[in-house]
Amino acid sequence: MDRVALRGLKARGHHGVFPEEREAGQTFLVDVVLGLDTRPAAADDDLAKTVHYGIVAEEVVAVVQGEPVDLVETLAERIAQVCLQHEGVREVEVCVHKPDAPITVPFDDVTVTITRSRV
């Protein structure tokens, strides 16, 4: 399976279990790796036979900016489901970064990574 990756998609969301996270919001970064067969697109040099990663990027950002959820796990799941709606995408790995998580000790990043595929 071939891979098309989008790394470091950045959007502001209001996700989290604490009221201050919901009110103030914070920046989330998302990486998605789409699994698909790119051979038909390459053979015909045809965008319609692959995934349009610009559209995927916009949809991922819309999910982050959309309806708030408590858990990063839920956010990752919603992003995965949006990606799998694209014809040809058979598998997706989603990594959601929450670099401003409310943790009381020094840290660089918090991530949740999931992999989903069509059944």
Side-chain angles (χ1 to χ4, degrees):
M1 193 167 316
D2 302 320
R3 303 277 183 242
V4 173
L6 293 158
R7 307 238 186 244
L9 296 170
K10 186 184 290 189
R12 190 159 187 82
H14 293 265
H15 312 289
V17 295
F18 299 114
E20 55 272 17
E21 292 180 288
R22 292 293 186 104
E23 293 166 16
Q26 60 192 292
T27 299
F28 292 84
L29 296 152
V30 180
D31 305 323
V32 295
V33 181
L34 308 168
L36 64 154
D37 184 357
T38 63
R39 288 175 293 191
D44 295 337
D45 199 27
D46 186 353
L47 177 60
K49 294 182 179 180
T50 188
V51 64
H52 191 309
Y53 51 79
I55 291 172
V56 173
E58 291 171 359
E59 292 172 348
V60 168
V61 166
V63 172
V64 175
Q65 293 173 336
E67 180 185 349
V69 296
D70 288 343
L71 301 178
V72 177
E73 293 85 344
T74 306
L75 183 59
E77 184 67 34
R78 288 184 177 182
I79 292 167
Q81 294 310 312
V82 164
C83 293
L84 287 171
Q85 290 177 4
H86 288 268
E87 187 177 339
V89 175
R90 297 286 168 233
E91 178 178 284
V92 62
E93 179 182 280
V94 176
C95 180
V96 178
H97 301 255
K98 189 175 179 180
D100 298 321
I103 297 175
T104 60
V105 298
F107 73 102
D108 289 330
D109 198 6
V110 171
T111 65
V112 171
T113 303
I114 65 170
T115 302
R116 299 292 182 265
S117 60
R118 292 180 189 242
V119 177

